[in-house]
């Protein structure tokens, strides 16, 4: 029987780079929020030992290179599971956008397989294994709103954003996460008062202060690779959006849409520039099972 799961994207309310670690990764302090922009995973248990991952999107690999394959192969070996799984991925999250699409799929697939293979692993066990797949995969096991530290794998639940509409603006080009981090210069910011203030403001559900405190230390690196990236930010601010920040390592930008007119204008004007606008709202979890 085919079961359908929805894997939600994320964006970062703030992303502070604290320094470079001896293992080559950057030490982060970031706050992730799940949003209802999503991929769809159709999962079916198979009798044989194979894992079959199909995705029709041209920028996303099928088979062994897909993060879903890597996640399921690891879980299957670790759990001693003999059955296989077929997963068909329908992308709604644009790739190379900084919205965590591949990681969301991997986290969701781990949770789906845990259920469909009847493994009974706890969320902390799944998070531990997820950290071996990628730094931000542990977030997607529970999703919702979390503060993530270390490489991003040390997660801590925090209050979810209040209901709000966010515009996500994606140019036709993507940015590779590794290329953006390679451009980060030293003399990095500290977690600073901004992130502490932000945490307090979200706890109080004071959205306007949250908007003022949003930042992303990766913006200069992304703009060094693609100077046009700055045009997107300026355009969004000019339309009246607030809290405009780069989504993760880009190439998408995220900003709060203060009213429906701004969303309509954004959609109308973005096309002429070759950009795509998605509208999304915060959700309190990383994935759900659906029967639609
Ligand atoms: P990150 O998760 O590092 O922030 P991102 O959000 O910018 O990355 P992704 O959507 O994860 O972007 O895509 C990054 C690359 O990962 C893609 O170009 C693709 O080659 C590869 N990839 C592997 N598996 C998947 C998947 N299931 N969905 C999307 N991309 C995948």
């Amino acid at each position: 029987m085919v079961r359908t799961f929805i894997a939600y994207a994320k964006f970062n309310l703030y992303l502070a780079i604290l320094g470079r670690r001896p293992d080559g990764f950057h030490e982060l302090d970031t706050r992730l929020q799940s949003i209802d922009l999503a991929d769809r995973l159709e999962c079916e248990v198979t009798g044989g030992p194979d894992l079959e991952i199909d995705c029709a999107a041209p920028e996303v690999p099928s088979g062994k290179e897909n993060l879903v394959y890597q996640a399921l192969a690891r879980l299957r070996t670790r759990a001693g599971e003999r059955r296989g799984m077929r997963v068909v991925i329908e992308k709604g999250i644009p790739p190379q956008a900084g919205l965590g699409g591949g990681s969301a799929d991997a986290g969701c697939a781990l949770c789906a397989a845990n259920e469909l293979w009847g493994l009974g692993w706890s969320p902390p066990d799944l998070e531990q294994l997820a950290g071996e797949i990628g730094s931000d995969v542990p977030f997607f096991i529970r999703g919702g709103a979390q503060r993530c530290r270390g490489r991003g794998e040390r997660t801590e639940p925090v209050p979810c954003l209040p209901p709000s509409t966010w515009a996500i603006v994606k140019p036709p080009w993507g940015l590779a996460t590794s290329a953006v981090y390679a451009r980060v210069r030293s003399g990095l910011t500290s977690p600073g008062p901004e992130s502490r203030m932000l945490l307090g403001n979200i706890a109080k559900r004071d959205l306007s202060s949250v908007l003022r405190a949003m930042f992303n230390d990766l913006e200069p690196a992304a703009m060094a690779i693609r100077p046009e990236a700055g045009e997107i930010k300026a355009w969004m601010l000019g339309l009246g959006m607030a809290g405009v920040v780069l989504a993760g390592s880009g190439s998408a930008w995220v900003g709060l849409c203060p009213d429906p007119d701004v969303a309509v204008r954004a959609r109308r004007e973005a096309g002429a520039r070759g950009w795509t606008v998605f509208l999304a709202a915060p959700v309190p979890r990383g994935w759900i099972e659906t029967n639609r």
Side-chain angles (χ1 to χ4, degrees):
M1 189 177 93
V2 177
R3 305 240 316 244
T4 304
F5 295 81
I6 302 293
Y8 293 121
K10 59 81 178 165
F11 72 89
N12 307 60
L13 290 178
Y14 70 84
L15 190 157
I17 300 193
L18 308 185
R20 188 134 190 179
R21 303 153 39 123
D23 63 8
F25 285 97
H26 287 88
E27 185 74 17
L28 302 181
D29 181 351
T30 185
R31 183 175 176 132
L32 303 187
Q33 172 67 57
S34 296
I35 46 173
D36 61 1
L37 179 66
D39 290 345
R40 206 180 152 89
L41 274 63
E42 303 209 323
C43 305
E44 187 175 18
V45 176
T46 56
D50 295 339
L51 296 173
E52 215 181 289
I53 316 298
D54 287 318
C55 182
E59 320 89 316
V60 176
S62 287
K64 292 190 173 172
E65 278 172 50
N66 197 291
L67 278 185
V68 168
Y69 184 99
Q70 291 161 30
L72 292 186
R74 213 171 265 257
L75 178 64
R76 193 173 172 277
T77 307
R78 213 60 72 74
E81 175 60 50
R82 287 165 174 273
R83 288 169 296 172
M85 181 88 69
R86 181 178 305 121
V87 183
V88 178
I89 305 172
E90 205 179 291
K91 293 297 291 183
I93 308 172
Q96 290 210 341
L99 299 165
S103 304
D105 293 350
C108 175
L110 285 176
C111 298
N114 185 42
E115 221 162 289
L116 301 188
W117 284 336
L119 304 180
W121 282 33
S122 67
D125 289 343
L126 289 168
E127 281 166 357
Q128 177 103 28
L129 186 115
E132 298 170 21
I133 313 298
S135 304
D136 62 355
V137 185
F139 164 77
F140 292 97
I141 299 296
R142 284 186 255 216
Q146 293 182 42
R147 184 181 185 186
C148 304
R149 283 179 278 185
R151 288 183 291 124
E153 85 290 4
R154 276 173 31 219
T155 59
E156 172 196 333
V158 289
C160 201
L161 275 182
S164 40
T165 303
W166 296 79
I168 293 153
V169 182
K170 169 75 178 62
W173 38 270
L175 282 171
T177 304
S178 54
V180 176
Y181 275 96
R183 283 283 189 136
V184 172
R185 295 284 154 256
S186 47
L188 306 155
T189 63
S190 71
E194 298 100 327
S195 52
R196 280 198 295 275
M197 192 170 83
L198 185 64
L199 291 169
N201 290 333
I202 294 175
K204 286 184 271 165
R205 295 171 76 86
D206 173 4
L207 192 55
S208 57
S209 313
V210 170
L211 294 170
R212 281 197 298 277
M214 288 174 70
F215 68 94
N216 184 338
D217 282 345
L218 292 175
E219 286 179 15
M223 289 186 204
I225 298 171
R226 281 283 189 169
E228 330 69 298
E231 288 169 26
I232 304 175
K233 181 174 192 169
W235 175 77
M236 291 171 76
L237 289 169
L239 280 176
M241 294 183 197
V244 178
V245 287
L246 189 71
S249 55
S251 59
W253 290 79
V254 180
L256 182 93
C257 252
D259 59 59
D261 289 350
V262 172
V264 170
R265 264 190 70 198
R267 283 216 152 128
R268 206 175 45 221
E269 292 178 22
R273 296 165 188 261
W275 305 333
T276 310
V277 176
F278 304 88
L279 295 180
V283 285
R285 57 186 66 83
W287 58 275
I288 50 161
E289 184 172 1
T290 176
N291 52 15
R292 276 176 288 123

